[in-house]
Amino acid sequence: MASKRPAQPRDRTIRYGVLALWTLVILSVVVIFVLALSREPGSAAVATPSIVIGMPGGVAVEIATSTPQPTTPPTTPTPPTATPRPTPEPTAAATPALATAAPAATPTVTPATVPPSVTPTPAVVAVSDPTDTVAAFYGYASSGQFDAAYSLWSERMRATYPRQENLDERFDQTASVDFQELSVAEQTADRATVQANFTETYDSGSSRVFVGYWQLVLVDSVWLLDEPHY
């Protein structure tokens, strides 16, 4: 009966096969891991040359493919939260104190004093020259002193010429009187004729020239205007 040989070469082959299989698995895992790392975000895209169709032989043109950037979604603003205001508590109004009225003082009645009546003072005119009476009359009339001017009229002139229209209203707008000539033309014991040419200026600025003379009468040593001739 023949004896059995040991199966050493076959066992060795099996071990080598198993070792080669594990080596292949490990290499596959390493390759997969490297590929996974190369595809991580942020890695630059490699442009692949393309062939342009329609040209003889074709031309290699690199077409860069841009990597799309992620779009950031718009941020929706959050509306401010309204803070409720505290409701003010009503404040009671202060009640004003009632003022006590002071007793009214009894007025003292003072009897009115009646002013004495004023009598117009006759103008003082020099009796030596009748021209003084004419000059004084126009001076009083142009300054609004109508009572003084009226005192230089004789009784006959007062009866003939009403004062209101011939003195007060006549010289109401007169500002000044300037004589171009003032001289005695004739004179007797109680009569005189005075040549009196003058320019009368009014409040409005206009003026008028008068050429004429006055007749005067001597009464109680005072020369009075008796008759105008203008």
Side-chain angles (χ1 to χ4, degrees), residues 121-127 132-133 136 140 148 151-152 222:
T121 303
V124 178
V125 181
V127 297
D132 294 338
T133 299
Y140 290 138
S151 68
L152 298 177
V222 177

Side-chain angles (χ1 to χ4, degrees), residues 194-205:
V194 175
Q195 184 70 39
N197 303 334
F198 59 89
T199 300
E200 184 176 356
T201 303
Y202 305 100
D203 294 337
S204 61

Side-chain angles (χ1 to χ4, degrees), residues 56-75:
V59 179
V61 179
E62 293 186 1
I63 301 177
T65 305
S66 59
T67 304
Q69 298 295 330
T71 304
T72 304
T75 305

